[in-house]
Each structure stands twice: as structure tokens, then as C-alpha cells.
């Protein structure tokens, strides 16, 4: 098998074409502004659809400079256990249940 191997070539790992005389696609540099003060410059093809936002390296959402702002989504406040409990019971009902449970606990300690 070693006799038939091609030596000195990395077949499949490198292209035999050179980049000389190659015509690259036209590009435009787009700038994004991060709320933390970072500026991102991304090259895009002239034909590409440029996104309105890009994730910054700090994790924040950077917005396109001189572009339309994305629509604000309605943010629902996070519901807590207390909020869900108040949807099912009123405060007087909860006070009544508390008294019942306290009586049971007091009776079990006696």
C-alpha cells in the first residue's frame, strides 16, 4: 500500500487554484452600535440582506447604525407564585385557610 501512495501532496486539503486574478464580490461595511459602547463593523455582500441587529461579543444586542429599529415586542411581567395564588383565592379566603392550618398545627403539638 505504501508503494502506491502519492507523496508530497496533500490531496483534498488544498485547492490547486490560486487567488490571483480572481474577482471578489463587492462588499459594503456595515456598522452596529452596542448599548455598552462597542462598535461592530461587519462586511456584507452588496446583494445580501443586512440584518437590523447583531449579537455583540459582550452578549448584548447591537443595532444597525442609521437603520430602522426592530419592532418592540410586548414584554409580559413574570408571574410569581403569589400572583397565581391571588388569581385563585382572595385575601380573606387565604387568611381563613391560614387560621385553619394553624389550628391543625396547634392541635398536633398538644
Amino acid at each position: 500500500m505504501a508503494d502506491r501512495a502519492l507523496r508530497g501532496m496533500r490531496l483534498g486539503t488544498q485547492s490547486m487554484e490560486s487567488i490571483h486574478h480572481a474577482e471578489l464580490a463587492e462588499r459594503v461595511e456595515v456598522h452596529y452600535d452596542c448599548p455598552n459602547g462597542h462598535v461592530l463593523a461587519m462586511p456584507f455582500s452588496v446583494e445580501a440582506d443586512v440584518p437590523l441587529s447583531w449579537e455583540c461579543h459582550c452578549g448584548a444586542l447591537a443595532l444597525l447604525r442609521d437603520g430602522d429599529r426592530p419592532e418592540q415586542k410586548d414584554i409580559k411581567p413574570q408571574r410569581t407564585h403569589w400572583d397565581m395564588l391571588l388569581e385563585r383565592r382572595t385575601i380573606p379566603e387565604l387568611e381563613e385557610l391560614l387560621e385553619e392550618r394553624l389550628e391543625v398545627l396547634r392541635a398536633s403539638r398538644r
Side-chain angles (χ1 to χ4, degrees), residues 1-7:
M1 175 110 180
D3 295 337
R4 290 185 237 139
L6 292 174
R7 294 178 183 260

Side-chain angles (χ1 to χ4, degrees), residues 25-67:
E26 288 186 51
R27 297 177 187 196
V28 62
E29 192 167 273
V30 177
H31 296 276
Y32 291 93
D33 295 319
C34 175
N36 296 331
H38 305 123
V39 176
L40 304 171
M42 298 288 167
F44 284 97
S45 171
V46 174
E47 301 167 356
D49 294 330
V50 178
L52 295 175
S53 61
W54 195 270
E55 185 176 342
C56 183
H57 62 280
C58 68
L61 193 64
L63 298 176
L64 180 64
R65 185 182 292 174
D66 300 330

